Amino acid sequence: MAEELLCEADTGAATWPDDTDDEDPDRLNGRRRGRPPVLLTLNPEFGRIIAISLRMNLIETLIADFSGSGLAQSRLVLSTRALDAGALSDLVIAQIDAMLGATATPRHRLLGIGIALQGIVNTDTGRHLWSPALSITDVDLATPIRQAFGVEVVMANDAVAVALALAASEPALAQGLSATIMVGHGVGMGIVVDGQARWGAGASSEIGHVKLAPNGPQCRCGQRGCIEAHLADYALYRDARTFLDLPPAVSQQPSEAQMALLRERALGGDPRLEHLFQQAGRALAEAVATTISVLRPHHVILAGPGLQAFDMMRHAYEERLDQAVLPWLLKSTAIYIRPSESAAIVDGMALRTLRVVDRSHMETAERIPGAAALV
């Protein structure tokens, strides 16, 4: 196994000095006998992993090789809230099988499967607890998929996946504690400490469900006044429809095109929309203020498609943030704006899955006599 796991790195046209038996036999000049050292790298063909993003009315599937390079990707649009537990697991299994078939990947080469879900996920048990994208709750999604393919199934909240993708693309964000607040379909948070995902009690942070006002607008979680109910795409579009003639959103979730239309009309100078986005900016500031005050992170990253409207939120956001956080606390945290695309979810989930697979295979290699020296 260890021999398959690693392969020689392609280092280009490297040259080595001659090393003859009669030159410097005692290595007085630092020369060595025998074959020159060879750099090793992960063997991309050792196996493949599949990463899945499950969110409102969309399932994205990515297959990647062992180096993390994507080989193929698909998008399936459907009514996710119409799925029961059996139909959901059957659909995910079918998507995985389709991806294996499309890339001619034998099942025995599949090493792991990662699933990122919008909502609350228990990463320890592999259970989906609640998601606005689904009408079912407390579902064991990992077990049937693990049984179908015989590999590790890794579960995570989609904000955690985005946090990992950003930390991988910008190494500075992997230093210390980084909190990524993801704004889009909902509002979530992913915590990364020194490049590794972290969470408490088996689930990631639900910063979007911190309450701003007990009698505030309705949230999809069933309660009122959540940060998400002021800031998420569905909340902005829902509230805009109370005074604008806008087409209804499927399952109350506006499409990318509908949100682009909303931003366009706001930029046109409608004062009602300007007020709506300023209110969203204040809600975003409350999320950042809570994060900084409680976690004291080195970095806060504001990410997700919802940040495409940040310029319209900026004034209210900055004004409220200055009021909500002690000045010396605010100065201790660097804040970044990264309006990431949805592809960051499957990219980050691929990284998370590969790390779990790496650890599993390295531990196996260490238990094989003589293999530890090879890795």
Short mmCIF file of all heavy atoms in Angstrom, two decimals, residues 109-152:
data_model
loop_
_atom_site.label_atom_id
_atom_site.label_comp_id
_atom_site.label_asym_id
_atom_site.label_seq_id
_atom_site.Cartn_x
_atom_site.Cartn_y
_atom_site.Cartn_z
N ARG A 109 -11.49 1.66 -6.45
CA ARG A 109 -10.60 2.81 -6.43
C ARG A 109 -11.21 4.00 -5.67
O ARG A 109 -10.55 5.02 -5.49
CB ARG A 109 -10.25 3.24 -7.85
CG ARG A 109 -9.16 2.38 -8.50
CD ARG A 109 -7.86 2.51 -7.72
NE ARG A 109 -6.75 1.84 -8.38
CZ ARG A 109 -5.54 1.73 -7.86
NH1 ARG A 109 -5.29 2.25 -6.66
NH2 ARG A 109 -4.57 1.11 -8.49
N LEU A 110 -12.45 3.88 -5.26
CA LEU A 110 -13.09 4.93 -4.48
C LEU A 110 -12.64 4.80 -3.03
O LEU A 110 -12.84 3.77 -2.39
CB LEU A 110 -14.61 4.83 -4.59
CG LEU A 110 -15.41 5.91 -3.85
CD1 LEU A 110 -15.10 7.30 -4.40
CD2 LEU A 110 -16.91 5.62 -3.94
N LEU A 111 -12.04 5.86 -2.50
CA LEU A 111 -11.45 5.81 -1.15
C LEU A 111 -12.31 6.48 -0.09
O LEU A 111 -12.19 6.15 1.10
CB LEU A 111 -10.07 6.47 -1.16
CG LEU A 111 -9.04 5.90 -2.13
CD1 LEU A 111 -7.76 6.71 -2.06
CD2 LEU A 111 -8.78 4.44 -1.83
N GLY A 112 -13.13 7.44 -0.49
CA GLY A 112 -13.93 8.16 0.49
C GLY A 112 -14.95 9.05 -0.17
O GLY A 112 -14.83 9.41 -1.34
N ILE A 113 -15.97 9.40 0.60
CA ILE A 113 -17.06 10.25 0.11
C ILE A 113 -17.29 11.34 1.15
O ILE A 113 -17.39 11.06 2.34
CB ILE A 113 -18.36 9.44 -0.09
CG1 ILE A 113 -18.15 8.36 -1.15
CG2 ILE A 113 -19.52 10.35 -0.46
CD1 ILE A 113 -19.24 7.30 -1.18
N GLY A 114 -17.35 12.59 0.69
CA GLY A 114 -17.63 13.70 1.58
C GLY A 114 -18.93 14.39 1.19
O GLY A 114 -19.18 14.60 0.01
N ILE A 115 -19.75 14.70 2.17
CA ILE A 115 -21.04 15.33 1.91
C ILE A 115 -21.16 16.60 2.75
O ILE A 115 -21.07 16.54 3.98
CB ILE A 115 -22.22 14.39 2.22
CG1 ILE A 115 -22.07 13.08 1.44
CG2 ILE A 115 -23.54 15.06 1.91
CD1 ILE A 115 -23.11 12.03 1.79
N ALA A 116 -21.32 17.73 2.09
CA ALA A 116 -21.54 19.01 2.76
C ALA A 116 -23.01 19.37 2.64
O ALA A 116 -23.57 19.36 1.55
CB ALA A 116 -20.67 20.09 2.13
N LEU A 117 -23.63 19.66 3.78
CA LEU A 117 -25.04 19.99 3.79
C LEU A 117 -25.27 21.38 4.33
O LEU A 117 -24.57 21.85 5.22
CB LEU A 117 -25.83 19.00 4.66
CG LEU A 117 -25.97 17.59 4.13
CD1 LEU A 117 -24.98 16.67 4.78
CD2 LEU A 117 -27.39 17.09 4.37
N GLN A 118 -26.26 22.03 3.77
CA GLN A 118 -26.74 23.30 4.30
C GLN A 118 -27.57 22.98 5.55
O GLN A 118 -28.50 22.19 5.50
CB GLN A 118 -27.60 23.97 3.24
CG GLN A 118 -28.15 25.32 3.59
CD GLN A 118 -29.05 25.84 2.49
OE1 GLN A 118 -29.25 25.18 1.48
NE2 GLN A 118 -29.61 27.02 2.70
N GLY A 119 -27.20 23.53 6.69
CA GLY A 119 -27.95 23.27 7.90
C GLY A 119 -27.10 22.67 9.00
O GLY A 119 -25.87 22.83 9.02
N ILE A 120 -27.73 21.98 9.93
CA ILE A 120 -27.07 21.45 11.11
C ILE A 120 -26.74 19.97 10.89
O ILE A 120 -27.62 19.16 10.63
CB ILE A 120 -27.94 21.62 12.36
CG1 ILE A 120 -28.30 23.09 12.56
CG2 ILE A 120 -27.21 21.10 13.60
CD1 ILE A 120 -29.25 23.36 13.70
N VAL A 121 -25.46 19.66 10.99
CA VAL A 121 -24.97 18.31 10.74
C VAL A 121 -24.15 17.85 11.95
O VAL A 121 -23.30 18.59 12.44
CB VAL A 121 -24.06 18.28 9.49
CG1 VAL A 121 -23.55 16.87 9.23
CG2 VAL A 121 -24.80 18.80 8.28
N ASN A 122 -24.41 16.64 12.43
CA ASN A 122 -23.57 16.06 13.47
C ASN A 122 -22.44 15.31 12.79
O ASN A 122 -22.65 14.22 12.23
CB ASN A 122 -24.38 15.13 14.38
CG ASN A 122 -23.57 14.69 15.58
OD1 ASN A 122 -22.43 14.23 15.45
ND2 ASN A 122 -24.15 14.80 16.77
N THR A 123 -21.26 15.88 12.81
CA THR A 123 -20.13 15.29 12.09
C THR A 123 -19.63 14.02 12.75
O THR A 123 -18.99 13.19 12.11
CB THR A 123 -18.98 16.30 12.00
OG1 THR A 123 -18.64 16.74 13.33
CG2 THR A 123 -19.38 17.51 11.17
N ASP A 124 -19.91 13.86 14.05
CA ASP A 124 -19.46 12.65 14.75
C ASP A 124 -20.28 11.44 14.37
O ASP A 124 -19.76 10.33 14.21
CB ASP A 124 -19.53 12.87 16.27
CG ASP A 124 -18.55 13.93 16.74
OD1 ASP A 124 -17.56 14.17 16.03
OD2 ASP A 124 -18.78 14.51 17.82
N THR A 125 -21.59 11.62 14.24
CA THR A 125 -22.48 10.49 13.95
C THR A 125 -22.85 10.37 12.48
O THR A 125 -23.38 9.35 12.06
CB THR A 125 -23.77 10.63 14.77
OG1 THR A 125 -24.49 11.80 14.33
CG2 THR A 125 -23.48 10.74 16.26
N GLY A 126 -22.60 11.44 11.70
CA GLY A 126 -22.98 11.41 10.30
C GLY A 126 -24.46 11.64 10.08
O GLY A 126 -24.99 11.31 9.02
N ARG A 127 -25.14 12.21 11.06
CA ARG A 127 -26.57 12.46 10.93
C ARG A 127 -26.83 13.91 10.52
O ARG A 127 -26.20 14.83 11.03
CB ARG A 127 -27.31 12.17 12.23
CG ARG A 127 -27.22 10.71 12.68
CD ARG A 127 -28.08 10.46 13.90
NE ARG A 127 -29.48 10.38 13.57
CZ ARG A 127 -30.12 9.26 13.21
NH1 ARG A 127 -29.44 8.12 13.13
NH2 ARG A 127 -31.39 9.27 12.93
N HIS A 128 -27.77 14.07 9.59
CA HIS A 128 -28.27 15.40 9.24
C HIS A 128 -29.40 15.70 10.23
O HIS A 128 -30.37 14.95 10.33
CB HIS A 128 -28.77 15.40 7.80
CG HIS A 128 -30.02 16.20 7.60
ND1 HIS A 128 -31.25 15.61 7.43
CD2 HIS A 128 -30.24 17.54 7.61
CE1 HIS A 128 -32.17 16.55 7.31
NE2 HIS A 128 -31.59 17.72 7.41
N LEU A 129 -29.24 16.77 11.01
CA LEU A 129 -30.22 17.09 12.05
C LEU A 129 -31.33 18.00 11.54
O LEU A 129 -32.50 17.77 11.82
CB LEU A 129 -29.51 17.73 13.25
CG LEU A 129 -28.40 16.87 13.86
CD1 LEU A 129 -27.76 17.59 15.04
CD2 LEU A 129 -28.94 15.51 14.30
N TRP A 130 -30.94 19.05 10.79
CA TRP A 130 -31.94 19.97 10.24
C TRP A 130 -31.31 20.74 9.09
O TRP A 130 -30.14 21.12 9.15
CB TRP A 130 -32.42 20.97 11.30
CG TRP A 130 -33.31 22.03 10.71
CD1 TRP A 130 -34.65 21.92 10.45
CD2 TRP A 130 -32.92 23.34 10.26
NE1 TRP A 130 -35.11 23.10 9.87
CE2 TRP A 130 -34.07 23.98 9.76
CE3 TRP A 130 -31.70 24.02 10.26
CZ2 TRP A 130 -34.04 25.26 9.25
CZ3 TRP A 130 -31.67 25.31 9.74
CH2 TRP A 130 -32.83 25.93 9.25
N SER A 131 -32.12 20.95 8.05
CA SER A 131 -31.66 21.76 6.92
C SER A 131 -32.86 22.43 6.28
O SER A 131 -33.91 21.79 6.11
CB SER A 131 -30.95 20.90 5.88
OG SER A 131 -30.70 21.66 4.70
N PRO A 132 -32.74 23.71 5.91
CA PRO A 132 -33.84 24.35 5.18
C PRO A 132 -34.05 23.73 3.80
O PRO A 132 -35.12 23.89 3.20
CB PRO A 132 -33.38 25.80 5.06
CG PRO A 132 -31.89 25.74 5.16
CD PRO A 132 -31.61 24.63 6.11
N ALA A 133 -33.06 23.00 3.31
CA ALA A 133 -33.16 22.39 1.99
C ALA A 133 -34.00 21.10 2.00
O ALA A 133 -34.36 20.60 0.94
CB ALA A 133 -31.77 22.08 1.45
N LEU A 134 -34.29 20.59 3.20
CA LEU A 134 -35.00 19.32 3.32
C LEU A 134 -36.18 19.47 4.27
O LEU A 134 -36.13 20.26 5.22
CB LEU A 134 -34.06 18.23 3.83
CG LEU A 134 -32.83 17.92 2.97
CD1 LEU A 134 -31.85 17.04 3.72
CD2 LEU A 134 -33.23 17.29 1.65
N SER A 135 -37.23 18.69 4.02
CA SER A 135 -38.38 18.69 4.92
C SER A 135 -38.23 17.66 6.03
O SER A 135 -38.99 17.67 6.99
CB SER A 135 -39.66 18.41 4.12
OG SER A 135 -39.57 17.15 3.48
N ILE A 136 -37.24 16.77 5.91
CA ILE A 136 -37.01 15.72 6.90
C ILE A 136 -35.92 16.15 7.87
O ILE A 136 -35.05 16.95 7.53
CB ILE A 136 -36.62 14.38 6.22
CG1 ILE A 136 -35.49 14.63 5.21
CG2 ILE A 136 -37.83 13.77 5.53
CD1 ILE A 136 -34.98 13.39 4.52
N THR A 137 -35.96 15.63 9.08
CA THR A 137 -34.96 15.97 10.09
C THR A 137 -34.42 14.71 10.75
O THR A 137 -35.03 13.64 10.68
CB THR A 137 -35.57 16.88 11.17
OG1 THR A 137 -36.68 16.21 11.79
CG2 THR A 137 -36.04 18.20 10.58
N ASP A 138 -33.27 14.86 11.39
CA ASP A 138 -32.61 13.78 12.13
C ASP A 138 -32.51 12.50 11.28
O ASP A 138 -33.02 11.44 11.64
CB ASP A 138 -33.34 13.49 13.43
CG ASP A 138 -32.49 12.66 14.39
OD1 ASP A 138 -31.25 12.59 14.17
OD2 ASP A 138 -33.04 12.08 15.33
N VAL A 139 -31.83 12.62 10.16
CA VAL A 139 -31.69 11.51 9.20
C VAL A 139 -30.26 11.01 9.19
O VAL A 139 -29.31 11.80 9.13
CB VAL A 139 -32.10 11.97 7.79
CG1 VAL A 139 -31.85 10.87 6.77
CG2 VAL A 139 -33.55 12.41 7.77
N ASP A 140 -30.08 9.70 9.25
CA ASP A 140 -28.76 9.09 9.12
C ASP A 140 -28.48 8.90 7.63
O ASP A 140 -28.95 7.95 7.01
CB ASP A 140 -28.73 7.75 9.85
CG ASP A 140 -27.36 7.08 9.79
OD1 ASP A 140 -26.45 7.65 9.16
OD2 ASP A 140 -27.21 6.00 10.36
N LEU A 141 -27.72 9.83 7.06
CA LEU A 141 -27.40 9.75 5.64
C LEU A 141 -26.11 8.98 5.40
O LEU A 141 -25.94 8.35 4.35
CB LEU A 141 -27.28 11.17 5.06
CG LEU A 141 -27.04 11.32 3.57
CD1 LEU A 141 -28.13 10.63 2.76
CD2 LEU A 141 -26.96 12.81 3.20
N ALA A 142 -25.21 9.00 6.38
CA ALA A 142 -23.89 8.39 6.18
C ALA A 142 -23.97 6.87 6.10
O ALA A 142 -23.29 6.25 5.26
CB ALA A 142 -22.95 8.80 7.30
N THR A 143 -24.78 6.24 6.94
CA THR A 143 -24.77 4.77 7.02
C THR A 143 -25.17 4.10 5.71
O THR A 143 -24.45 3.21 5.23
CB THR A 143 -25.67 4.30 8.17
OG1 THR A 143 -25.12 4.78 9.41
CG2 THR A 143 -25.74 2.78 8.21
N PRO A 144 -26.30 4.45 5.08
CA PRO A 144 -26.64 3.76 3.82
C PRO A 144 -25.61 3.98 2.71
O PRO A 144 -25.37 3.09 1.90
CB PRO A 144 -28.00 4.34 3.44
CG PRO A 144 -28.13 5.60 4.21
CD PRO A 144 -27.36 5.40 5.47
N ILE A 145 -24.98 5.14 2.69
CA ILE A 145 -23.98 5.41 1.66
C ILE A 145 -22.70 4.63 1.96
O ILE A 145 -22.06 4.07 1.06
CB ILE A 145 -23.71 6.92 1.56
CG1 ILE A 145 -24.99 7.62 1.09
CG2 ILE A 145 -22.56 7.22 0.61
CD1 ILE A 145 -24.94 9.11 1.13
N ARG A 146 -22.34 4.55 3.23
CA ARG A 146 -21.17 3.76 3.62
C ARG A 146 -21.40 2.28 3.29
O ARG A 146 -20.50 1.59 2.80
CB ARG A 146 -20.91 3.93 5.12
CG ARG A 146 -19.63 3.28 5.61
CD ARG A 146 -19.45 3.48 7.11
NE ARG A 146 -19.33 4.89 7.47
CZ ARG A 146 -20.21 5.54 8.21
NH1 ARG A 146 -21.29 4.92 8.68
NH2 ARG A 146 -20.01 6.81 8.50
N GLN A 147 -22.59 1.81 3.52
CA GLN A 147 -22.91 0.40 3.21
C GLN A 147 -22.90 0.15 1.71
O GLN A 147 -22.50 -0.92 1.25
CB GLN A 147 -24.27 0.04 3.81
CG GLN A 147 -24.27 -0.02 5.33
CD GLN A 147 -25.66 -0.21 5.92
OE1 GLN A 147 -26.67 -0.01 5.23
NE2 GLN A 147 -25.72 -0.58 7.18
N ALA A 148 -23.33 1.14 0.94
CA ALA A 148 -23.40 0.97 -0.52
C ALA A 148 -22.02 0.90 -1.16
O ALA A 148 -21.81 0.17 -2.14
CB ALA A 148 -24.21 2.10 -1.15
N PHE A 149 -21.04 1.64 -0.59
CA PHE A 149 -19.74 1.74 -1.25
C PHE A 149 -18.59 1.20 -0.42
O PHE A 149 -17.47 1.04 -0.93
CB PHE A 149 -19.46 3.20 -1.64
CG PHE A 149 -20.41 3.74 -2.66
CD1 PHE A 149 -21.52 4.48 -2.26
CD2 PHE A 149 -20.24 3.48 -4.01
CE1 PHE A 149 -22.43 4.96 -3.19
CE2 PHE A 149 -21.13 3.95 -4.95
CZ PHE A 149 -22.24 4.70 -4.54
N GLY A 150 -18.82 0.91 0.84
CA GLY A 150 -17.77 0.33 1.68
C GLY A 150 -16.59 1.23 1.95
O GLY A 150 -15.47 0.76 2.12
N VAL A 151 -16.82 2.56 1.97
CA VAL A 151 -15.74 3.51 2.24
C VAL A 151 -16.20 4.49 3.32
O VAL A 151 -17.38 4.57 3.66
CB VAL A 151 -15.33 4.29 0.97
CG1 VAL A 151 -14.79 3.35 -0.09
CG2 VAL A 151 -16.50 5.12 0.43
N GLU A 152 -15.23 5.26 3.82
CA GLU A 152 -15.53 6.29 4.82
C GLU A 152 -16.42 7.37 4.22
O GLU A 152 -16.21 7.82 3.09
CB GLU A 152 -14.22 6.91 5.32
CG GLU A 152 -14.40 7.92 6.43
CD GLU A 152 -14.83 7.27 7.74
OE1 GLU A 152 -14.43 6.10 7.98
OE2 GLU A 152 -15.54 7.93 8.51
#
